[in-house]
Amino acid sequence: MTDLLKTPLYDLHQQLGAKMVPFAGYALPVQYADGVLKEHLATRDSAGLFDVSHMGQIRLNGEGIAEALEKVLPQDVIGLGENRQRYGLLTNEQGGILDDLMFANCGDHFMLVVNAACKHEDYAWLRRHLPDSIDMTLLEDRALLALQGPKARQVMAQLAPGAEKMVFMDTADLTVAGVDCWVSCSGYTGEDGYEISVPAASAQAVAEALLANETVSAIGLGARDSLRLEAGLCLYGHDIDVSKTPVTANLKWAVSKARRLGGERAGGYPGAEVIAEQWQTGGDSQRTLLDIDGRAPVREGAPLVNERGDKIGIVTSGGFGPSVGKPVAMGYVNIEALDAPVFAEVRKKNIPVSPRSKPFVEQRYFRG
C-alpha cells in the first residue's frame, strides 16, 4: 500500500489493529478485530467512529455564492438558512449525476463535502462553472470524522458542549475535546450523529478522545457499507453515476420544490430540461430497494430477470443486513417490469425479490 494516500488517522488505525484496504486511492480500514458484524451492531446500538477523511471538503468564499450554486445544483440553495446543510447533486447537461454531496451555509462562506473518488473532478468542474469572483479551496489540511449511533449525542455533549442542541442538518463551529472544529449533525448510516471537520494535526487527538468513551467503537468501511445499505442510502459509483438521473435514481425528493417545473426558480441548472421531461415520463428504469426471498445474499452485478428469464435490471448494492438479520439489496428495474414478479439470478438460480419503498431500518435522525 506504499502508493496509496494516507489519512491523518492512518497510524491510529494501525495501533487499533485495523485491516487496511485500498479505497478511492487511500489506505483505509475495512474492519477492526471485532469484525464487520459486531461493528455494524455497535453503531446501531451505541456509537461508532468512522474515518471519512478521504472525502473532499471544499470551502467557497465570495459574494453571491448561493445564487451561483443554484446554477449548478437542482437544490434550493438561496433558501438555505445560516448554519444549515442540505443534500445536493451535481448534474451534467444530460441530467446524469456527476456526484452527490452535502452543502452548508456557514454565513460568510459555504462548505461542500463531496465523494473521495470525485473530489478533484468536482473541484475542477465547479471552478469552470462558478464565477471567478468566488474563491474555492479544496481543504487538504483537514480530516473528517463521523460519530454515528443512538449514543453519539451524549458522547458529543461531554466533549463539545452545545452539540446536544443540534438537530438533523444543523452545522456549528464547536470546540471538540479542546480543538476548534466545524460540526454537522448528519451522517450516512441512518442513525443520529455528527460529522466533525478537524485540522489534520489534531485529528488523532480528537479521535482518541471520542474512543476513550466506552460507548464508542472504531468502525471500518465494511460496516459503513452495510449500515448505509440498510438505511436505503446510495453509494456513488455503484447505485448512482453519470448514467443515472435524479428521476431514475429515485432521488426526486432531493430536487427542491422551488427548482422543479412550475417552481419559483425552476430549472437553470445543467440537465434541467432532460430531468423535467423524465419527471413526466418516469424514465425507462428506476432504482428500488429489494427484499430477498431466503437467506442467500444477492451481490452487486447480479442480473434481475422476469419469469421468462429476460433481463430487466441489475443489482447495484447487496449484502447481509445485520440489523434485520437477512440479505438486503438495491438495484435498477425496468419501469414496465415493476408490477410483475422479479428474480435475481445468482449462480444460475432465480431468487425471488420484491421491490420495496421504505428503508430496511428506520432512519433515526434527530429532528427535535
Side-chain angles (χ1 to χ4, degrees), residues 10-337:
Y10 180 85
D11 289 342
L12 180 60
H13 298 316
Q14 298 283 65
Q15 293 168 25
L16 295 173
K19 178 183 178 182
M20 307 297 285
V21 298
F23 184 83
Y26 286 79
L28 290 170
V30 67
Q31 65 179 69
Y32 299 86
D34 284 344
V36 173
L37 178 65
K38 287 185 178 180
E39 290 174 26
H40 177 113
L41 295 175
T43 306
R44 289 270 185 254
D45 297 337
S46 187
L49 182 66
F50 303 76
D51 179 10
V52 287
S53 304
H54 56 301
M55 304 284 280
Q57 301 181 62
I58 302 174
R59 181 183 174 119
L60 304 180
N61 290 84
E63 294 293 326
I65 298 173
E67 290 79 6
L69 281 175
E70 282 212 357
K71 294 182 179 178
V72 296
L73 297 172
Q75 279 72 48
D76 177 6
V77 189
I78 292 172
L80 182 64
E82 189 170 332
N83 296 321
R84 290 288 292 166
Q85 182 173 249
R86 187 164 283 158
Y87 177 78
L89 301 168
L90 282 179
T91 52
N92 63 17
E93 294 296 342
Q94 294 74 44
I97 300 172
L98 294 167
D99 199 6
D100 62 339
L101 69 151
M102 305 297 290
F103 63 94
N105 178 357
C106 301
D108 62 349
H109 68 279
F110 269 68
M111 281 288 292
L112 277 58
V113 179
V114 302
N115 283 299
C118 309
K119 61 184 176 183
H120 296 292
E121 291 82 356
D122 287 354
Y123 180 90
W125 191 90
L126 287 165
R127 185 65 285 170
R128 290 196 303 271
H129 289 79
L130 295 177
D132 292 340
S133 58
I134 293 176
D135 291 327
M136 289 179 53
T137 308
L138 181 59
L139 303 177
E140 305 278 16
D141 59 347
R142 297 190 74 83
L144 191 65
L145 310 178
L147 183 69
Q148 302 283 289
K151 294 185 180 178
R153 188 164 292 270
Q154 67 188 53
V155 173
M156 283 292 282
Q158 296 172 14
L159 293 177
E164 73 280 1
K165 299 175 183 177
M166 298 173 70
V167 299
F168 186 52
M169 292 298 194
D170 273 353
T171 70
D173 292 310
L174 295 175
T175 301
V176 183
V179 178
D180 291 340
C181 299
W182 179 69
V183 178
S184 65
C185 189
S186 59
Y188 220 61
T189 62
E191 297 293 333
D192 183 28
Y194 304 85
E195 292 194 339
I196 306 161
S197 174
V198 54
S202 301
Q204 183 162 331
V206 171
E208 287 176 338
L210 291 165
L211 289 169
N213 190 303
E214 63 181 10
T215 65
V216 180
S217 303
I219 311 295
L221 292 173
R224 180 173 168 84
D225 191 53
S226 56
L227 288 158
R228 67 91 193 166
L229 179 53
E230 283 187 342
L233 304 173
C234 297
L235 178 62
Y236 191 82
H238 297 257
D239 309 303
I240 50 176
D241 55 36
V242 291
S243 69
K244 313 298 190 299
T245 71
V247 177
T248 60
N250 208 2
L251 293 173
K252 290 168 68 173
W253 60 266
V255 179
S256 303
K257 289 183 179 179
R259 310 305 310 284
R260 300 175 191 174
L261 194 64
E264 58 188 275
R265 298 189 306 283
Y269 58 88
E273 293 181 1
V274 175
I275 292 168
E277 182 179 348
Q278 275 195 355
W279 204 284
Q280 307 302 316
T281 65
D284 56 358
S285 66
Q286 188 174 86
R287 181 182 64 88
T288 181
L289 302 178
L290 298 166
D291 278 318
I292 312 298
D293 187 4
R295 304 286 295 177
V298 175
R299 305 290 183 187
E300 177 182 352
L304 296 172
V305 299
N306 61 18
E307 288 181 299
R308 297 189 303 274
D310 302 325
K311 185 176 178 180
I312 56 170
I314 191 168
V315 173
T316 54
S317 284
F320 183 75
S323 304
V324 293
K326 64 179 183 179
V328 291
M330 73 169 73
Y332 284 78
V333 182
N334 295 348
I335 292 289
E336 67 272 12

Side-chain angles (χ1 to χ4, degrees), residues 295-299 301-303 344-351:
R295 304 286 295 177
V298 175
R299 305 290 183 187
E345 191 178 282
V346 180
R347 291 188 290 276
K348 298 184 178 180
K349 292 184 179 179
N350 287 353
I351 298 175

